[in-house]
Amino acid sequence: ASLALGLLTEQLSLRLGGTHCHASGIVNVSTCSSANSVFWYIPWVYTGVTCARRLTDERSWAFPLLSGMLFFGLCGVYEAQGPLVGWWRWPAADGLVASGCTIWQAGPLGLDARGLVASPHVMEALGERLFGVPVMAPYFHFAFGWGIAVVYQLTAFKS
């Protein structure tokens, strides 16, 4: 399930929002999406949820919050350091993520001849930067973990 979630999240982020572009790896899922960026979701989701389950009651209001914090903790350094070492690119101020990229994007984004571009909503969310890192990017990790934990709470308990 974590692998499918990673594949879906990465592809939708690229094709519907143009949020980022990963550097090519030895194996690539698609342009701007290396296999390691997708496979990372397996240990990330497992560790974030499992650690939260071991630290608090799964039925507690604290479970989703703790899970969100762990998801951020597991990716915070990666999030901040990745662009600096060339693992991926954020959108530039003009919305361009990858010049000349031919990846399919939905709607008006696909009509932009420059390449992979970010949607206006993405530009609004990722525009404010602190040390080059979009301020709202770490929030994605927290919200992702929180959401997975809430879904877990709503579907995993036997009465």
Side-chain angles (χ1 to χ4, degrees), residues 42-62:
I42 297 170
W44 183 39
V45 171
Y46 175 80
T47 304
V49 172
T50 300
C51 288
R53 288 179 63 210
R54 291 183 181 173
L55 291 170
T56 190
D57 183 359
E58 300 163 344
R59 295 166 295 220
S60 165
W61 60 268

Side-chain angles (χ1 to χ4, degrees), residues 31-117:
T31 304
C32 290
S33 181
S34 59
N36 68 314
S37 68
V38 172
F39 280 100
W40 166 246
Y41 282 78
I42 297 170
W44 183 39
V45 171
Y46 175 80
T47 304
V49 172
T50 300
C51 288
R53 288 179 63 210
R54 291 183 181 173
L55 291 170
T56 190
D57 183 359
E58 300 163 344
R59 295 166 295 220
S60 165
W61 60 268
F63 175 64
L65 294 174
L66 183 56
S67 185
M69 286 187 268
L70 287 166
F71 269 63
F72 169 71
L74 289 164
C75 276
V77 172
Y78 175 75
E79 194 72 35
Q81 296 297 316
L84 298 175
V85 295
W87 293 337
W88 74 83
R89 291 183 299 271
W90 295 115
D94 65 353
L96 184 62
V97 181
S99 180
C101 180
T102 58
I103 192 170
W104 175 85
Q105 285 190 278
L109 299 179
L111 301 175
D112 194 317
R114 296 179 297 162
L116 178 66
V117 293

